[in-house]
Amino acid sequence: QLRFKPGLLLGGSVEHACPVGAGGSRGVGWFLEGIMPLAAFGKEPLELTLAGITDGTSDVDPSVDYLSSSFLPLCIKFGIGANDDYPPPSIRVSRRGAAPLGGGVVHFYCPIVKELN
């Protein structure tokens, strides 16, 4: 049995610059991978802007394109964004950025739900 109690999830508009360069580069996908499963349970929809490496970092971090084509369809199947109150979840790349310097910008939107279907 697994019980996860994350506390209060607010949502809203959030911007974050993901670390790039020597000593700790992680792709934007690494950050999205942890946020996406929780985003729908906030108090308000999440509008997240991440800046950094968008192509994933080799076999360590998922690319934004991979998450967009794999995780977003699952969200919709579970009913996230299925009603008329909010649009469905989305990932939009407004600028690409490759390792080691990054420079990419990704926008993630996720509506809220009370429960999954």
Side-chain angles (χ1 to χ4, degrees):
Q1 181 178 352
L2 174 68
R3 184 165 185 228
F4 180 69
K5 189 174 179 182
L8 186 60
L9 302 171
L10 297 177
S13 182
V14 180
E15 293 184 14
H16 178 71
C18 304
V20 295
S25 294
R26 294 309 299 243
V28 168
W30 185 82
F31 293 88
L32 281 174
E33 195 173 36
I35 292 169
M36 289 174 81
L38 302 174
F41 302 104
K43 286 193 163 280
E44 58 184 293
L46 176 65
E47 296 176 20
L48 175 64
T49 300
L50 295 172
I53 300 168
T54 60
D55 64 351
T57 51
S58 65
D59 60 344
V60 179
D61 301 330
S63 72
V64 174
D65 301 309
Y66 172 76
L67 291 173
S68 183
S69 63
S70 62
F71 192 81
L72 289 184
L74 286 175
C75 290
I76 294 166
K77 277 192 178 235
F78 279 109
I80 299 173
N83 60 24
D84 292 334
D85 295 338
Y86 301 105
S90 64
I91 297 175
R92 182 175 54 85
V93 179
S94 61
R95 185 172 58 228
R96 297 275 175 182
L101 299 178
V105 178
V106 174
H107 305 277
F108 170 60
Y109 171 78
C110 187
I112 56 172
V113 295
K114 297 291 183 199
E115 62 185 27
L116 298 177
N117 296 327

